């Protein structure tokens, strides 16, 4: 196993609209930050597993089918599959309302049952769309077995257990999440350079702050030298899930190209996220390895 994700599954109901009342297009797709990251890594060629929970409703069984070989997604009764209603405006920017449903029921016991899968993985990826307690249990178990951990603290949250950052090899927030975590504004590349250092002070071994069309800033605890990786400028159609494309790609590179410098992994992951903003939807916009320039591999 290359990459194991412990995280969320949502059905994404996406409305595209140019004005406030009337939309012009509607789609339903598989989403949720955890699942998005897992699918992004899998399409690049990583062997992946997903540990998650969906509801025993209209969507749950379909969702499990979406993963085909990765059967570690549990069906739980009495609750709905996570849903996200998303509105995408003319500039490709989105607003999201989430009802987390079954995602909230993924607990430490479910993580414990997956110990063999976790132990066999090279990289674990976690987010904050399931309970932070479950996320911490998953990362702690991964570290116990020497698995590299990537923590994507999304969506933005305050008062997190400081242990989450200690258990993370790489912490990777976007600019608003980084603001929430550091308590400092992150509006520019210069701000992001300060933010990565503050994140390192929280105990992770490396920190990456993604900055949308500005690329990303990274630093490691060994050199503490923040580096800016710019992104290629493109016309964005739909930025929903671009951060997840980045994190999934990062996990793929850490697992499958262990000798590639972190800086290089960030450059390539950033290019993969840039490709995803040029087509609509979340998972529907993620590329397969064969569709991408072979210089990325
Ligand atoms: O990061 C994008 C994701 O956030 C969407 O797929 C939606 O499900 C929400 O969880
Ligand atoms: Na997209």
């Amino acid at each position: 196993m290359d990459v194991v994700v412990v995280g969320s599954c949502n059905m994404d109901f996406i409305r595209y609209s140019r004005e406030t009342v009337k939309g012009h297009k509607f789609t339903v797709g598989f989403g949720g930050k955890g699942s998005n990251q897992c699918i992004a890594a899998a399409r690049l060629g990583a062997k992946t597993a997903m540990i998650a929970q969906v509801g025993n409703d209209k969507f749950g069984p379909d969702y499990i089918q979406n993963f085909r070989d990765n059967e570690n997604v549990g069906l739980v009764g009495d609750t709905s599959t996570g849903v996200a209603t998303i509105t995408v405006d003319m500039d490709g920017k989105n607003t999201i309302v989430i009802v987390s449903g079954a995602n909230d029921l993924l607990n430490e016991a479910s993580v414990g049952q997956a110990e063999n899968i976790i132990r066999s993985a090279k990289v674990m990826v976690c987010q904050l769309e399931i309970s932070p307690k479950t996320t911490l249990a998953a990362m702690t178990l991964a570290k116990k077995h020497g698995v590299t951990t990537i923590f994507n603290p999304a969506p933005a949250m305050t008062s997190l257990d400081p242990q989450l950052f200690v258990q993370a090899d790489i912490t990777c927030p976007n600019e608003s999440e980084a603001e929430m975590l550091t308590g400092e504004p992150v509006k520019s590349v210069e701000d992001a350079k300060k933010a990565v250092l503050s994140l390192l002070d929280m105990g992770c071994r490396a920190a990456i702050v993604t900055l949308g069309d500005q690329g990303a800033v990274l630093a490691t605890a060994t050199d503490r030298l923040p580096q800016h990786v710019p992104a290629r400028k493109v016309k964005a159609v739909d930025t929903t899930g671009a951060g997840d494309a980045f994190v999934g790609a990062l996990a793929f590179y850490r697992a499958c190209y262990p000798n590639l410098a972190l800086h290089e992994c960030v450059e390539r992951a950033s290019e993969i996220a840039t490709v995803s903003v040029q087509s609509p939807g979340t998972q529907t916009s993620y590329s397969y390895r064969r569709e991408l320039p072979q210089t990325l591999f």
Side-chain angles (χ1 to χ4, degrees), residues 8 10-12 31-33 36 84 86 96 98 129 240-241 244 282:
S8 57
N10 292 333
M11 291 303 299
D12 285 354
K33 295 183 197 304
N36 291 347
I86 303 172
I96 307 186
I98 296 174
E129 275 185 344
T240 318
D244 299 333
T282 42

Side-chain angles (χ1 to χ4, degrees), residues 162 164-173 178 181-182 192-209 217-227 262:
L164 283 162
F165 301 93
V166 177
Q167 298 298 334
D169 288 305
I170 305 177
T171 298
C172 181
L181 296 173
T182 63
K193 288 185 174 174
K194 290 188 203 124
V196 286
L197 295 179
S198 309
L199 290 166
L200 290 177
D201 293 337
M202 294 163 80
C204 46
R205 261 122 347 258
I208 303 169
V209 173
V217 168
L218 71 141
T220 65
T222 24
D223 63 22
R224 292 187 65 92
L225 285 174
Q227 283 178 283
L262 186 61

Side-chain angles (χ1 to χ4, degrees), residues 123-140:
V123 172
M124 171 186 279
V125 191
C126 291
Q127 319 72 27
L128 292 173
E129 275 185 344
I130 56 170
S131 128
K133 261 182 91 184
T134 307
T135 298
L136 179 56
M139 290 207 296
T140 308

Side-chain angles (χ1 to χ4, degrees), residues 78-160:
D78 296 337
T79 185
S80 55
T81 297
V83 293
T85 30
I86 303 172
T87 309
V88 179
D89 70 13
M90 283 295 280
D91 303 319
K93 294 246 164 33
N94 62 66
T95 43
I96 307 186
V97 174
I98 296 174
V99 180
S100 42
N103 291 307
D104 287 339
L105 299 183
L106 188 71
N107 57 23
E108 293 173 66
S110 345
V111 170
Q113 280 158 19
E115 182 160 1
N116 280 335
I117 299 167
I118 292 172
R119 177 196 298 163
S120 74
K122 299 187 182 107
V123 172
M124 171 186 279
V125 191
C126 291
Q127 319 72 27
L128 292 173
E129 275 185 344
I130 56 170
S131 128
K133 261 182 91 184
T134 307
T135 298
L136 179 56
M139 290 207 296
T140 308
L141 191 56
K143 286 319 302 170
K144 178 179 138 197
H145 293 298
V147 178
T148 299
T149 49
I150 300 179
F151 177 39
N152 170 225
M157 241 172 238
T158 49
S159 324
L160 287 169

